[in-house]
Each structure stands twice: as C-alpha cells, then as structure tokens.
C-alpha cells in the first residue's frame, strides 16, 4: 500500500518535473545546433508559471474542461506507467488526452484552431496504430502487457524488437511535435497556422497543456526505456541517443504536409512492424 | 411456473400489445399501451435474472401445438414476403421467398418425423443478456418514439396519422426479438428471424417515399438472402444430426463433417446479411431513411445484433476450424473497412450506420477468434454498443428534428441552441471511444486477445485509430461555438429527456458494473466451453497478460470529471474573447472584415478526406474484398 | 512564494507579438535580427509568438492608418493581462515622415496605450532589446489575478 502511494506520487510529481527539465534541455540543444546559446534549462518552468499567473480568457468555456481533461489523462497514464500497469491500457488513456485537446481546439471557431485540430487528428491516426503494434511486439516477446512482467524479462527487448524500436521512433517524433511531423502545432509555424491546435488556448489553460505535454514526454521516454530495461546504463544510453536523434531530426528537416505524413509513416511504420512481428511470430 | 409466465410475457405480450396499438386509434390510449408494455417487459426481463439458466417446452397454446402454430405462421409470413415481392416487382425477393417456402415445406412435411417434445426454449446468460437489451433498450426507444413520431408527422403534415401501423410493427418487433433469442429449436429461431426481416422492411418503408420503398425492398431481398442461407443451413444440419436442437448441435458438434461445417458456414452467411456486413452493407445504409427510433431500435441496438448473437452462440461448435478463422478475418476486415468509410462521411446517420457495421465486424472478429477472452469481449461489446448507439441515434434524431438536417457540418455549434442534447451526444461519443467506459474495455479485451495473431491485430489497430478520428471530429464539431451566455437547457418533451437520460446513465452505470456483469452474466456462459479468461476482484479485471482496473479508473475518471466541471464553472467568470481571426474580426460573432469593407463569415469545414476514404473510392474495392473472403469461407468448408 | 515565482517568471519569459502596422520593413528586420544567433534573445526566454492570446508584449512597428487601427486594437484586446506595448521606430512613435499622409492616424498611442517608446529609423536591435527590458518592469509590478 505504501509502495503504491510512493509510485503514484512519483509519477504524479517527479514525472512533470523531469519532463519539464527534458524539454528545457531540448531547447538548449536546439539552440546550440543553431549556433545560439539558448534559454536557461528551467525555462519551461518559467513559461508555465508565467502562464498560470496570467488573466483567464476563453473562447468557449468547454476549452477549460478539455485542458483539464488532457492534463488528467496524461498524468493518469504516467501514474499507471509507474504503477507498472497494462501497456495497452496506458496507450488508450494517453489517447484520451489527445482527443480532449482536439475537441477543445474544435470548440473554437477560429479556422487556425480548426485546421490544427484536424491535423492533430491525422497525427493521432498516424501514430496510434504504431504505438499499439509496438506494445503488441513487447507482448509477443515477453508474454504480457503488464509492465511488471516486461521488466523481469531477462534480456534487452531491443535485440528482439529492433524494427519496432524504429517504429516507436516515428511515433515519438510525431508525438513530441518535431519536424517533419509538427503539422498541428509548432514553435515555428506562425505564418501558416499561427499556433494551430493551441491557438485559442491561452493563459492558465495553455499552461495546463504545456504541463500535460511534459507528462507525455515522460511516458514516451518510459516506453523507450522498456527496450533496455535490464540495466540502467543501457537504459540511459538508449534514452539519450534517442532523444538526441529526435532533436537532430527536428533541426535538419522541414515540415511536410499530412498526406506525406500519413502515407510515409503508415508505409514505413506498418511494414517495419509487420516484419518484426512476423519474426517474433515465427521465432 | 414463474419462468413460464415471464417468458410468455416477454414473447407474447408484445404481440398482443401490438394488436391493441393497431386497433385503438387514440393517441392517448396508444401511448399508454406502449408505456405499460415497455415497463412490463423491463420488469419481466429483470425478473428472469435470478431464474437463468432454464429450459422450457412450448407445449400447447389454446389447444394447438405451438410447433404447428409456428409452422403455419411461418408459411403465412413467407407468403406475405412473396406478396411484397410481387407488389414491388422484385424478382430476387420472389425467387428467394419461393425457395424458402419450398425448403420449409420440405423440411416440415418430409424430413421432420417427430416434433421434439422438450427444449424448445432455452435461456442461458447469453440469451438473458440479449433479452435484457431488447426489453430495456427497446422499451426506452419506444417511449422516445411517442414524442418523436408526433413531431415527425407534424413535419410531414399528414392528413391521416399512420402511427398505429408504426407502433404495431415496433412493439411486435420486441416480442419477435425476445422470441428469437430464447428459441432453442432452430425452426422457431428461423421464424422469428424472418419476422424481424419483415418488421425491418415495413419500418424502412414507413414514410412511403420513393427512396424509402426502394431501400426497403433492398433490405428485404438482402435479408431474404440471409433467410434462404439459413434455411438451407438448417436442412443441412437436419441431414447431419437428425434434429434442430441448437444446444445439442453445439454440444455434439462434429467439425470434421463437411455437411455440418458447410451448414454452419451458411448460418454465418445469414448472420452476416442480418448484421449488414460487407458486401451487404447497402441495406443498412439505405435503412437510415426510416424515422430515427427505427434506426435506433432495429438498425443499431437490437436486430442487427441477431447476426453476432447467432455466431457467438455457434462459436463453441466451430472452435478451432478454418471456418472460425475465416469469420475472424472477415469481421476484422469489416471493422477496418467500415471505419474507413465512416471517416469519409459527413452525413451523421451514415456515420452511425458505418460505425454500427464496424462494431459488429469487431464482434464477429471476436467470435471467430474464439478464445475465452475474445468471446467475453464480444458479449460485452454487444451490451455497451446497444446502449450507446441507441443513445447516439436518439440524440441525432432529436437534433435533426430541430435543425432539419442530419449533416455533421450543419450540426456545427449546435451547442448554442440545444446545449443539453449536444452535451449528451458528446457524452455518448466519449463513452464510445474512451476508457474506462465499456466499449473501450471490450476493445481492450479484443486487442489483447487478438495480439497473438499479427494480421488480425494489425487490422484491428488500424480500424480503431480510424474510429477515434471520426468520433472525435464529430464531438468537437457539436461544441464548436463562440460561447455566449449561461448554460440553459432547451425544452424537450419529458419522454425525450427520460429516454436520453436513462440510456446515458445506463451506459455509464453498466460501464462501472462491467466486472460484475462479467462474473454474474458472462462467466456462467463461459464455463463448460471455455476456461475463465479473467479474475475479477475489487472491480479489477486481471489475468496473466493484462489488467484493466475498471473501478479505480472509474473513480479517478469521476474525480477528474468533477474537477473539470469545476474548472468550467470558474471559467464562466473569465473574460470571453473572440476566436483568433488575425485581428480582423468584427463584433458580429464569427465574422471578419473582408475586401471592400464587406463582412465575411470565417468558416472552416471538417476534413473528410474523401479523396482517400470516400464511398466512391472505397466501396467497390471493399465489396470485392469481402466477396472474396466470403467465397473463401464457404469454399474452405468443402 | 507562489506569487514570487510567478513574478519572477514574468520577467524570465516574455513572449512577443510583433505587429507590423505599415512599416517600411526597416524596423521589422531589426526586430527579427534580435532572434538571430548574434543577439539570441531566447537567452532571456523571449519567444516570438504569432498569436496575441499567448503574448505578453506587443511590438508595433510602422504608422497606424485608418485601415489597420482596428486590427491593432483587436490584437491588443485579445492579449491576456498583464501586457505591455512597445512602439518601435519613428513611425510607430509619431507617424514619422508619413504623419501628414491622408490615411495616417499617427503614432501607436493614438489607438492603444503605449508603455515604451523606442526611437530610431530604424531602431537598433540593442535599443529594441532595451525597450523590452523596460517593458518587463510593468509586467513585474502588475497585480496577480484574484484567483489563480
């Protein structure tokens, strides 16, 4: 019982703190890649605290509901991850958050918000099957969807699921809103769609979506970590390399359109998953 | 004795009440009859819970053997269908009904030597679940139909009310459905199967427009095809086993025998037509011209469930066969294809129709997968889908009567004018795609069950991603409105609010009670044939491979919901700003100042991706694919 | 403590909205120059957002004319409190060399309250950064919302 409480609190509190730090690191790394110095590492926390202290303005009160729903779902997903629950269930709960964000954006009639929301739906459509297939791969290898059992697996999953790790990389790039998949909302797309999905969330509600995003970062990196769960050194190396690759890809690629994203991600992602799943199936 | 009374109330009372509805032409009396019948049905269905499982023998009714009564009724029914074939000049209906008449006659007069004395009625947990759905959801829909049809006829400006015919068929249908799921004698089953076909035909054609009649005839011939497949299958089964006792057939299954397997494959084919699987989907899409309570009752929550019920029943008999695999692939294929087609639709009722086809496909996939887990998932999906889809249909019907359109684009911002209905609709959508609600619980089970087979899981994941897309889009569109003023529920008849409230609350409570439904209703149906797939303790469903904490998650969700509502309350005090329109907005909501200082409305339409998911792109290919799979299924048994 | 954190964060994370009223683009290029590696104002947490609903500081360049004055007011209104307005360059300050033109209203302060005036034609990036820092003083002292 005490252990459970500890896990819940860790997921709930440490999760976003770590996620915020990682996104601060991300900004510094990006700046360095562009020969700039970049903001302090605590910058995401300053941003969120500032937003929380701003005046509340809304277009439609249900945006508030959706922002809270997003935060609740993503934090719940991370807590369940720390409780070593069912991976498939965690993915479903994570999807709830994404859907809430979309519904909140659709609640505003601004065309920027609407277009952003639909692009986000297409992003969900692109990455959701991939994430599920990754989890199915983990199940086929370890015989369980429960993280508890996955962690006791004697050898690193990466050895048996290399292609599925690449597939997870695609999902990660979309989910972290990195180029070439940052269609729905992006730090750099002002001309084209203002802030897309997040255009009409403002002040404290924007802060909630920001914090929710930190939880999501944690969840996805946790999923990556499962691929080398046998030793903490391997786990660290895997996460660092993966995240560095994400930032690099973000900086060297241009934003593409949704047709390309859907076609490319499904073609590559599904083929790679299928190859890996058949390999597991026959092995 | 008790079981006798309750069963006859469930089956025979609706037939009586239907007659009353037809004869007594006063609106008041008819409403009273509908209400009383509905409540009696609900009470009797609930009363059956502690009594299951039981078997009954239908001996004599008014001094005549029930078997003979059914036989006579069967012929009358088939000749009636033949008559409609002549009336509407449909060659296919004529041929199919003649074929059925001949086969029934052959079966009754030449093959069947002695009428079984026992076991004509069998009620186990699965049948009980269906009875509960039919009686509870069906009655609620009939209640809502009372104000709906009043409005409907007011809109059409009819000189003479035709409601007596409408309620005749609706109430009669309830009895037929109860009879169908309780029958153990397959000839009884077949009779009620045909009654539902006829009810569906009459109700689709109810408005008597040219489209309505055309679509009704299409529904008739497609379902007659199913009926014909069914009776051919029955003949085969009788050849093989010498009786038509469903339970005995399942227990003494001989999957090695060709005739047996082919007969079951034909029964599956009948199930596919009834559940409007590809390539028979066009009848269900056409059926959407009917008044919305019909779509809610027949074409989403009950009648189309007959197909999946039949296959779930037969699942133990085809365990481990190629046929079973074919059913699984076919179902998964339909799940994916119908979800893709739903993405391309902007017509709300068509989206609901495709979503129904899609979910039924998933249930077929579960039945075909034929593991304890997947069968549990299939049964749970029947329950939750029935409640939520009925709710969504009634919501769309209510909105449609208000805005005179069923197009999703026209429902944009309907929250502004009918906030409560819009919110209930969004609730329905949420219960359709989000944990911890039941539909997602069953989908989770289905996925974990299918994970061992890589092609099935691939198809199912793609389908479920598409499902999220079309539902989320719709929910957002309903709410899409610059907020103005306080929340004030609109006015609707009491029966409408009652029906919407009962269905949404029912779905939510059932989701919470999923572990108990599992232990009380599904586990008894499992034992014997399958091992128990899950342990249920403390509201948590768990096995070695996975865990879904229904109760804890629901508690968390409820807390989250209350917090979010509190946030909404507080946000009501926030400053309301206009949606962002690059700073060129004017005070009129949603408008901006365009060229020559003229006001232009800022509009954004949804993405329907019709260049990929449009009917004109997909339907032909999907039908081809489904046809190939069907041939594979039938051919594979030979 | 929370109050202190928020006040500190306001200084640490000013997000800019840049609106070009009808500038000759001279000042705009200088504004954008601030984002380049040479000045790298992201070091101070400054981001150029394209959306008034996310912005803390409104940078305005160019003269206000009859056509765009309503737009300027709309953008200003959509910014949540606390917020600061910084007028950049001669045109934004007073209308500059265009002030006599038939369609020109004048400086930015004719339509919305301006907190900091940054002169120059064009204004230097250093001056713009200095102006933003002055504007931060206003954000720091602004009151917190009654309920968080």
């Amino acid at each position: 019982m005490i252990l459970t409480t500890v896990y819940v609190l860790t997921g709930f509190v440490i999760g976003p703190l770590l996620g915020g730090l990682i996104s601060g690191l991300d900004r510094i790394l990006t700046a360095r890649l562009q020969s700039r110095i970049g903001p302090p590492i605590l910058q995401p926390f300053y941003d969120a605290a500032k937003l929380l202290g701003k005046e509340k303005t809304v277009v439609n009160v249900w945006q508030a509901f959706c922002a809270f729903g997003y935060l609740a779902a993503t934090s719940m997903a991370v807590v369940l991850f720390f409780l070593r629950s069912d991976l498939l269930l965690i993915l479903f709960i994570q999807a709830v958050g994404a859907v809430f964000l979309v519904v909140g954006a659709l609640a505003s009639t601004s065309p920027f918000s609407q277009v952003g929301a639909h692009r986000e739906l297409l992003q969900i459509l692109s990455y959701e099957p991939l994430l599920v297939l990754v989890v199915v791969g983990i199940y086929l290898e370890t015989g369980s969807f429960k993280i508890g059992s996955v962690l006791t697996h004697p050898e690193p999953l990466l050895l048996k699921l290399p292609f599925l790790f690449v597939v997870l990389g695609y999902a990660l790039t979309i989910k972290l809103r990195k180029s070439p998949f940052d269609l729905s909302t992006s730090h750099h797309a002002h001309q084209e769609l203002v802030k897309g999905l997040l255009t009409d969330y403002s002040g404290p509600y924007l802060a909630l979506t920001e914090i929710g995003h930190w939880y999501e970062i944690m969840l996805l990196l946790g999923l990556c970590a499962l691929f080398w769960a046998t030793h903490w050194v391997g786990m660290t190396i895997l996460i660092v390399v993966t995240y560095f690759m994400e930032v690099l890809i973000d900086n060297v690629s241009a934003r593409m359109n949704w047709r390309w994203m859907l076609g490319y991600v499904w073609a590559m992602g599904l083929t790679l998953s299928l190859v890996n799943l058949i390999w597991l199936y026959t092995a | 004795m008790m079981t006798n009374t309750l069963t006859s109330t469930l089956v025979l009372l609706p037939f009586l009440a239907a007659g009353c509805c037809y004869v007594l032409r006063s609106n008041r009396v008819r409403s009273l009859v509908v209400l009383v019948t509905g409540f009696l049905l609900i009470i009797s269905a609930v009363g059956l819970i502690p009594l299951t499982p039981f078997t009954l023998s239908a001996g004599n009714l008014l001094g005549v053997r029930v078997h003979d009564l059914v036989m006579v009724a069967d012929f009358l029914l088939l000749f009636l269908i033949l008559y409609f074939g002549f009336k509407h000049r449909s060659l296919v209906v004529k041929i199919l009904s003649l074929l059925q008449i001949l086969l029934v006659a052959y079966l009754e007069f030449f093959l069947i030597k002695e009428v079984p004395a026992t076991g004509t009625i069998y009620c186990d947990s699965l049948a009980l679940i269906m009875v509960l759905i039919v009686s509870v959801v069906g009655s609620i829909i009939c209640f809502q139909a009372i104000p709906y049809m009043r409005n409907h006829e007011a809109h059409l400006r009819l000189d003479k009310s035709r409601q007596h015919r409408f309620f005749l068929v609706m109430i009669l249908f309830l009895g037929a459905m109860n009879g169908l799921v309780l029958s153990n004698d397959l000839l009884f089953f077949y009779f009620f199967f045909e009654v539902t076909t006829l009810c569906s035909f009459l109700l689709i054609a109810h408005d008597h427009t040219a489209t309505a009649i055309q679509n009704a005839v299409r529904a008739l011939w497609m379902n007659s095809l199913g009926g014909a497949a069914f009776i051919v299958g029955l003949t085969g089964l009788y050849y093989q086993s010498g009786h038509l006792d469903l339970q005995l057939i399942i227990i003494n299954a001989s999957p090695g025998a060709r005739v047996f397997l082919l007969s079951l494959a034909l029964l599956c084919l009948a199930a596919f037509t009834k559940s409007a699987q590809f390539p028979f989907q066009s009848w269900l899409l056409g059926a959407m011209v009917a008044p919305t309570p019909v779509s809610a009752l027949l074409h989403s929550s009950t009648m189309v469930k007959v197909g999946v019920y039949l296959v779930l029943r037969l699942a133990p008999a085809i365990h481990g066969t190629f046929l079973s695999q074919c059913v699984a692939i076919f179902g998964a294929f339909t799940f994916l294809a119908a979800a893709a087609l739903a993405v391309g639709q902007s017509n709300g009722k068509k989206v609901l129709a495709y979503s129904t086809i899609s979910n039924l496909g998933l249930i077929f996939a579960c039945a075909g997968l034929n593991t304890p887990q997947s069968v549990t998932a299939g049964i749970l999906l029947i329950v939750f889908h029935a409640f939520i889809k009925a709710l969504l249909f009634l919501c769309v019907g209510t909105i449609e009567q208000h805005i005179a359109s069923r197009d999703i684009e026209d429902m944009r911002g309907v929250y502004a004018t009918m906030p409560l209905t819009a919110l209930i609709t969004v609730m329905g959508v949420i219960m359709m795609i989000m944990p911890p609600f039941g539909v997602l619980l069953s989908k989770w089970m289905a996925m974990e069950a299918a994970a061992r087979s890589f092609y099935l899981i691939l198809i199912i994941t793609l389908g479920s991603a598409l499902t999220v897309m079309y539902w989320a889009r719709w929910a957002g569109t309903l709410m899409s409105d610059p907020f103005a003023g306080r929340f004030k529920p609109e006015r609707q008849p009491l029966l409408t609010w009652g029906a919407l409230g009962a269905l949404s609350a029912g779905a939510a409570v059932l989701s919470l009670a999923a572990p108990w439904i599992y232990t009380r209703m599904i586990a008894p149906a499992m034992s014997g044939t399958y091992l128990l797939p899950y342990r249920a303790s403390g509201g948590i469903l768990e096995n070695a491979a996975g865990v879904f904490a229904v109760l804890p998650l629901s508690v968390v969700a409820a807390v989250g919901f209350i917090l979010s509502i509190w946030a909404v309350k507080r946000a009501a005090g926030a400053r309301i700003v206009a949606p962002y329109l690059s700073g060129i907005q004017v005070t009129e909501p949603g408008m901006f100042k365009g060229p020559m200082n003229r006001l232009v409305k800022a509009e954004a339409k949804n993405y329907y991706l019709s260049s990929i998911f449009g009917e004109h792109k997909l339907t032909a290919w999907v039908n081809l694919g489904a046809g190939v799979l069907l041939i594979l299924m039938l051919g594979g048994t030979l | 403590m929370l109050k202190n954190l928020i006040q500190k964060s306001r200084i640490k994370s000013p997000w800019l909205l840049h609106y070009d009223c009808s500038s000759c683009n001279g000042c705009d290029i200088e504004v954008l120059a601030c984002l380049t590696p040479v000045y790298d104002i992201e070091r101070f947490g400054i981001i150029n957002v394209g959306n008034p609903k996310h912005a803390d500081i409104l940078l305005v360049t160019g003269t206000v004319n009859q056509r765009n004055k309503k737009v300027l007011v709309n953008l200003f209104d959509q910014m949540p409190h606390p917020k600061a307005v910084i007028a950049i360059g001669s045109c934004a300050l007073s209308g500059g060399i265009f002030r006599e033109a038939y369609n020109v209203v004048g400086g930015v302060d004719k339509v919305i309250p301006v907190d900091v005036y940054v002169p120059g034609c064009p204004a230097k990036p250093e001056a713009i950064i200095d102006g933003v820092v002055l504007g931060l003083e206003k954000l720091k002292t602004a009151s917190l919302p009654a309920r968080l």
Side-chain angles (χ1 to χ4, degrees):
Chain A
M1 194 61 211
I2 294 169
L3 208 61
T4 314
T5 325
V6 170
Y7 281 139
V8 169
L9 284 179
T10 329
F12 205 68
V13 179
I14 312 280
L17 290 182
L18 226 62
L21 279 181
I22 289 171
S23 74
L25 259 176
D26 183 332
R27 280 175 71 173
I28 294 177
L29 208 57
T30 303
R32 295 295 155 88
L33 286 171
Q34 298 167 354
S35 37
R36 295 187 289 115
I37 293 181
I41 191 169
L42 294 179
Q43 189 59 42
F45 298 105
Y46 294 136
D47 290 348
K50 173 203 73 179
L51 287 170
L52 282 173
K54 291 212 73 155
E55 181 199 16
K56 284 200 194 86
T57 60
V58 287
V59 172
N60 181 330
V61 283
W62 292 99
Q63 282 188 311
F65 184 87
C66 292
F68 267 89
Y70 173 64
L71 183 65
T74 46
S75 58
M76 191 62 212
V78 172
V79 167
L80 280 178
F81 194 89
F82 275 86
L83 283 174
R84 305 173 181 205
S85 185
D86 191 289
L87 276 169
L88 199 56
L89 178 63
I90 292 174
L91 287 190
F92 285 152
I93 290 178
Q94 170 274 129
V96 169
V99 168
F100 267 125
L101 212 49
V102 169
V103 173
L106 284 173
S108 156
T109 51
S110 163
F112 301 105
S113 186
Q114 296 269 331
V115 170
H118 280 103
R119 289 189 184 178
E120 176 74 8
L121 277 178
L122 286 161
Q123 290 188 187
I124 296 176
L125 182 60
S126 306
Y127 70 71
E128 199 63 27
L130 303 191
L131 284 178
V132 173
L133 289 175
V134 167
V135 166
V136 167
I138 293 177
Y139 164 71
L140 282 181
E141 177 58 21
T142 63
S144 178
F145 284 100
K146 285 191 272 192
I147 297 174
S149 321
V150 175
L151 288 178
T152 53
H153 197 64
E155 58 176 355
L157 289 172
L158 189 61
L159 302 177
K160 282 288 178 60
L161 310 168
F163 296 134
L164 279 174
F165 191 73
V166 178
V167 171
L168 179 62
Y170 280 111
L172 200 63
T173 317
I174 302 177
K175 203 75 200 145
L176 292 178
R177 309 195 184 292
K178 301 284 189 199
S179 285
F181 304 124
D182 51 348
L183 308 162
S184 69
T185 174
S186 151
H187 288 305
H188 323 288
H190 309 163
Q191 300 290 324
E192 178 197 349
L193 80 165
V194 187
K195 192 73 173 161
L197 184 71
L198 299 176
T199 301
D200 277 324
Y201 288 100
S202 65
Y205 306 117
L206 187 65
L208 295 183
T209 65
E210 205 53 39
I211 298 169
H213 190 60
W214 300 342
Y215 278 112
E216 278 190 337
I217 293 177
M218 278 313 288
L219 178 67
L220 290 161
L221 291 183
L223 214 53
C224 286
L226 288 184
F227 278 76
W228 205 313
T230 45
H231 200 278
W232 65 271
V233 177
M235 196 189 269
T236 319
I237 293 173
L238 192 65
I239 290 179
V240 169
V241 170
T242 312
Y243 206 86
F244 181 73
M245 286 306 291
E246 290 297 330
V247 176
L248 193 65
I249 290 168
D250 186 30
N251 277 284
V252 298
S253 48
R255 185 167 46 257
M256 304 297 269
N257 62 18
W258 67 261
R259 267 171 209 281
W260 180 84
M261 175 186 66
L262 195 62
Y264 177 72
V265 171
W266 273 23
M268 291 299 290
L270 296 182
T271 313
L272 286 175
S273 325
L274 207 58
V275 168
N276 212 151
L277 288 182
I278 291 175
W279 171 18
L280 289 176
Y281 198 68
T282 50
Chain B
M1 193 56 222
M2 187 72 177
T3 48
N4 246 329
T5 328
L6 290 179
T7 317
S8 35
T9 316
L10 284 168
V11 182
L12 299 178
L13 174 73
F15 282 82
L16 269 175
C20 291
C21 282
Y22 190 75
V23 179
L24 306 168
R25 299 278 168 107
S26 144
N27 279 337
R28 283 252 173 85
V29 177
R30 189 185 324 112
S31 305
L32 192 69
V33 170
V34 172
L35 282 171
V36 170
T37 315
F39 280 117
L40 280 177
L41 283 183
I42 294 175
I43 292 167
S44 331
V46 173
L48 272 191
I49 296 176
L51 301 174
T52 40
F54 63 85
T55 49
L56 280 180
S57 311
N60 299 324
L61 190 70
L62 309 173
V64 190
R65 271 200 317 181
V66 174
H67 183 91
D68 297 338
L69 270 179
V70 168
M71 184 180 74
V72 172
D74 222 355
F75 281 118
L76 284 177
L77 189 66
L78 287 170
F79 277 109
L80 196 58
I81 292 175
L82 186 63
Y83 160 74
F84 282 119
F86 275 101
K87 187 178 167 195
H88 297 296
R89 306 213 184 112
S90 167
L91 186 64
V92 193
V93 173
K94 283 185 244 175
I95 294 175
L96 288 173
S97 47
L98 268 177
L99 177 74
Q100 289 182 69
I101 291 171
L102 289 177
L103 275 171
V104 173
Y106 175 63
L107 205 60
E108 290 276 7
F109 299 133
F110 296 97
L111 274 186
I112 296 179
K113 296 287 185 299
E114 55 176 326
V115 177
T118 55
T120 34
I121 285 176
Y122 175 71
C123 180
D124 63 349
S125 307
L126 182 56
L128 178 69
I129 287 173
M130 288 297 289
V131 167
L132 279 166
I133 291 174
V134 171
S135 307
V136 176
V137 180
S139 302
I140 293 176
I141 293 171
C142 286
F143 297 163
Q144 200 265 353
I146 298 171
Y148 184 94
M149 289 313 285
R150 203 165 49 223
N151 269 333
H152 184 72
E153 300 208 325
H155 274 289
L156 293 180
R157 299 205 176 80
L158 292 184
D159 303 331
K160 247 176 90 184
S161 169
R162 305 181 50 246
Q163 287 189 45
H164 55 283
R165 296 187 49 180
F166 181 81
F167 283 100
L168 163 80
V169 186
M170 287 285 269
I171 302 288
L172 188 134
F173 168 79
L174 292 182
M177 272 303 292
N178 277 334
L180 185 141
V181 292
L182 290 172
S183 308
N184 190 41
D185 188 330
L186 279 172
L187 270 173
F188 282 36
F189 195 104
Y190 168 73
F191 166 67
F192 288 120
F193 192 86
E194 286 298 296
V195 174
T196 60
T197 299
L198 188 71
C199 287
S200 171
F201 165 77
L202 291 172
L203 286 170
I204 297 171
H206 181 76
D207 281 343
H208 277 324
T209 59
T211 343
I213 290 178
Q214 190 193 341
N215 292 347
V217 173
R218 184 166 52 208
L220 188 61
W221 82 252
M222 283 192 175
N223 278 307
S224 295
L225 185 70
F230 198 105
I231 194 75
V232 175
L234 284 199
T235 319
L237 277 180
Y238 198 86
Y239 261 119
Q240 179 71 25
S241 44
H243 59 81
L244 288 175
D245 186 312
L246 187 52
Q247 284 309 311
L248 284 180
I249 287 172
I250 293 166
I251 293 164
N252 306 326
S254 45
R258 248 183 226 168
V259 179
F260 180 77
L261 218 51
L262 182 63
S263 311
L264 288 188
L266 284 168
L267 292 192
C268 289
L269 179 67
F272 293 159
T273 60
K274 203 69 174 172
S275 293
Q277 300 292 289
F278 292 106
F280 308 109
Q281 83 283 18
S282 57
W283 80 257
L284 187 69
L285 296 171
M288 294 298 136
V289 299
T292 305
V294 176
S295 312
L297 180 58
L298 275 76
H299 304 133
S300 74
S301 57
T302 52
M303 188 184 86
V304 288
K305 295 280 180 349
V306 168
V308 287
Y309 166 76
L310 179 62
V311 175
L312 276 173
R313 260 269 174 260
L314 293 175
I318 58 172
H319 187 81
T321 59
F322 180 67
L323 174 61
S324 186
Q325 281 181 31
C326 283
V327 172
I329 298 175
F330 182 84
F333 173 80
T334 309
F335 174 60
L336 172 61
L341 279 159
V343 169
Q345 285 303 315
S346 74
N347 178 331
K349 274 185 94 174
K350 264 193 163 179
V351 172
L352 290 180
Y354 273 124
S355 149
T356 304
I357 298 172
S358 177
N359 275 297
L360 294 172
L362 185 60
I363 303 174
F364 277 123
C366 287
L369 200 59
N370 228 330
T371 65
Q373 244 179 330
S374 73
V375 172
T376 310
I379 299 174
L380 280 177
L381 199 52
I382 289 185
V383 178
F384 293 115
H385 181 258
F387 269 82
I388 298 170
K389 200 46 85 53
L391 170 69
L392 284 171
F393 263 112
L394 295 189
C395 286
V396 170
T398 315
I399 293 174
E400 186 192 352
Q401 285 199 330
H402 197 83
I403 64 169
S405 166
R406 45 178 70 162
D407 197 280
I408 293 178
E409 287 301 330
D410 296 326
M411 293 183 199
R412 191 166 283 281
V414 92
Y415 176 72
T417 47
M418 24 193 348
L420 192 54
T421 315
L423 282 182
I424 294 178
T425 317
V426 173
M427 264 281 282
V429 170
I430 285 178
M431 289 195 277
M432 212 58 202
I433 53 174
M434 286 188 187
F437 295 105
V439 173
L440 215 98
L441 170 71
S442 358
K443 209 170 264 180
W444 167 83
M445 275 184 196
M447 279 189 174
E448 296 210 340
R452 281 269 163 222
S453 137
F454 62 88
Y455 48 91
L456 275 185
I457 190 72
L458 187 74
I459 302 175
I460 293 176
T461 46
L462 289 180
S464 87
L466 287 164
T467 308
V468 169
M469 175 150 184
Y470 65 80
W471 283 125
R473 184 177 70 194
W474 194 354
T477 308
L478 290 170
M479 306 304 290
S480 179
D481 178 56
F483 174 75
R486 290 176 60 82
F487 175 80
K488 208 168 130 234
E490 71 274 22
R491 291 173 66 87
Q492 291 284 353
L494 192 64
L495 276 174
T496 306
W497 284 144
L500 296 185
L503 284 175
S504 47
V509 170
L510 283 181
S511 293
L512 192 63
W516 286 274
I517 297 182
Y518 170 74
T519 29
R520 283 279 309 173
M521 310 277 240
I522 297 176
M526 288 284 136
S527 53
T529 338
Y530 303 107
L531 295 168
L532 274 186
Y534 290 99
R535 288 188 304 281
S537 64
I540 299 174
L541 287 174
E542 186 170 16
N543 66 7
V547 53
F548 195 117
V550 182
L551 193 61
L553 275 182
S554 305
V555 170
V556 172
V559 171
F561 181 77
I562 291 166
L563 276 179
S564 306
I565 288 290
W566 170 76
V568 170
K569 282 238 153 107
R570 290 191 45 173
R575 182 157 67 100
I576 306 289
V577 290
Y580 180 68
L581 285 178
S582 309
I584 50 176
Q585 75 272 19
V586 291
T587 30
E588 287 86 349
M591 307 285 256
F592 65 88
K593 198 177 260 185
M596 307 298 290
N597 279 343
R598 262 194 313 227
L599 293 188
V600 184
K601 191 164 170 35
E603 277 183 303
K605 295 258 163 84
N606 287 347
Y607 284 19
Y608 294 103
L609 317 186
S610 51
S611 60
I612 306 175
F613 298 118
E615 277 181 332
H616 59 289
K617 290 267 177 186
L618 284 185
T619 304
W621 293 107
V622 166
N623 283 344
L624 184 70
V628 169
L629 286 175
L630 278 185
I631 292 171
L632 184 74
M633 181 183 90
L634 290 174
T637 57
L638 295 177
Chain C
M1 198 190 96
L2 191 65
K3 199 178 155 192
N4 283 337
L5 176 68
I6 288 175
Q7 273 176 342
K8 188 179 175 199
S9 303
R10 281 179 176 167
I11 301 171
K12 286 278 198 179
S13 140
W15 290 0
L16 307 181
L17 173 67
H18 169 206
Y19 182 57
D20 171 358
C21 269
S22 44
S23 163
C24 69
N25 275 177
C27 293
D28 303 321
I29 287 169
E30 301 302 325
V31 167
L32 292 179
C34 299
L35 301 166
T36 57
V38 178
Y39 296 101
D40 187 22
I41 51 171
E42 206 196 350
R43 278 177 298 159
F44 314 120
I46 300 177
I47 294 179
N48 184 21
V49 294
N51 180 355
K53 299 187 171 186
H54 297 177
D56 307 294
I57 293 180
L58 175 60
L59 300 184
V60 192
T61 56
T63 57
V64 180
N65 62 27
Q66 300 292 352
R67 184 80 193 159
N68 63 28
K69 67 178 183 192
K70 187 72 181 106
V71 178
L72 187 58
V73 173
N74 275 342
L75 292 178
F76 179 73
D77 282 346
Q78 284 194 335
M79 287 170 64
H81 290 287
K83 55 190 169 186
V85 179
I86 300 176
I88 292 167
S90 309
C91 300
L93 263 52
S94 62
I97 58 165
F98 303 108
R99 70 181 180 280
E100 301 291 333
Y102 71 98
N103 61 333
V104 168
V105 177
V108 174
D109 52 10
K110 289 268 165 66
V111 284
I112 54 172
V114 174
D115 300 295
V116 182
Y117 296 87
V118 180
C121 182
K124 284 184 161 189
E126 291 89 342
I128 296 172
I129 296 174
D130 199 33
V132 171
V133 171
L134 278 174
L136 291 180
E137 282 304 312
K138 185 193 175 192
L139 297 186
K140 185 182 165 190
T141 50
S143 59
L144 290 169
R147 288 192 306 181
L148 285 177

